[in-house]
Amino acid sequence: VPRKVFSFDPPERFVAGTVGQPGERTFFLQARTGTRVISVALEKAQVAALAERLEELLEQVQRRGGAAAAEPTTIEGAEDTGPLDQPILEEFRVGTMALAWDSVDERVIVEAQAQTEAEAEATEPLSDAETGPDVLRVRIPAAAVWAFVRRAQRLVAAGRPPCPVCGLPLDPSGHVCPRQNGHLT
Ligand SMILES: [Zn+2]
């Protein structure tokens, strides 16, 4: 089966966002250009890891003299706090993610591959292989990456408030606190 490659070069908007109530949020990566909207589902921890790795990548590029990777002092669209675009249809659930810096075009390439049952089936990242897991691939300039990173960090931090006793996230339906011998608080 030929793989589906959802390519945006660049997308008009590339964000992480959530659907649902605090504590029951579903996380998505979403790329949009015009009315073409592609959403892929992933875990909160994957959003956090992606933001961290993007930040590391851009810092690495800057250390090698790539001034284009610097975080702008003001980013157009950086305060994109809007919800995900509709429709939010899950194309696939994300397994492997890969990043690369294209030093010619000064773009970051972000690739999110669909989860496969056997990890061995995952394709070499950024390959032109015609078979393999479906993939969302975006190429974006550093300023858009920084905007993505800052939004993703806010999103991950904006989870459930911490329990004042144990620091674990509180659940809207109650919290079994390990520091209070499992009493529901
Ligand atoms: Zn607690």
Side-chain angles (χ1 to χ4, degrees):
V1 183
R3 71 194 311 209
K4 283 190 218 155
V5 178
F6 303 101
S7 180
F8 290 82
D9 183 13
E12 285 173 11
R13 188 184 191 220
F14 178 60
V15 292
T18 59
V19 172
Q21 295 306 308
E24 294 164 7
R25 297 187 296 171
T26 305
F27 287 76
F28 291 95
L29 295 181
Q30 187 179 71
R32 178 184 60 77
T33 292
T35 56
R36 180 174 172 239
V37 182
I38 297 295
S39 309
V40 295
L42 74 178
E43 302 298 321
K44 178 181 174 179
Q46 288 176 297
V47 175
L50 179 59
E52 195 181 319
R53 286 168 54 196
L54 281 168
E55 204 172 2
E56 280 169 12
L57 175 68
L58 290 181
E59 280 165 2
Q60 220 174 66
V61 171
Q62 286 176 76
R63 279 198 299 275
R64 293 198 217 116
E71 182 169 11
T73 43
T74 56
I75 310 174
E76 195 188 333
E79 296 306 309
D80 180 354
T81 54
L84 292 170
D85 285 299
Q86 297 288 342
I88 304 166
L89 302 170
E90 180 183 321
E91 268 324 313
F92 56 75
R93 180 156 279 277
V94 175
T96 306
M97 292 186 290
L99 308 178
W101 171 252
D102 177 341
S103 57
V104 177
D105 292 343
E106 298 187 322
R107 295 281 185 276
V108 172
I109 304 160
V110 181
E111 185 180 280
Q113 287 189 18
Q115 220 169 46
T116 55
E117 281 176 24
E119 276 308 313
E121 287 173 24
T123 315
E124 259 315 88
L126 314 173
S127 85
D128 293 328
E130 284 174 12
T131 60
D134 292 348
V135 63
L136 169 64
R137 191 179 292 156
V138 299
R139 287 165 53 86
I140 46 180
V145 175
W146 282 114
F148 174 91
V149 166
R150 296 306 175 216
R151 177 181 163 120
Q153 287 169 339
R154 283 196 303 269
L155 191 74
V156 168
R160 295 165 287 170
C163 167
V165 180
C166 70
L168 289 174
L170 288 171
D171 203 289
S173 58
H175 165 69
V176 181
C177 187
R179 295 276 284 272
Q180 297 192 13
N181 300 321
H183 289 270
L184 199 68
T185 55

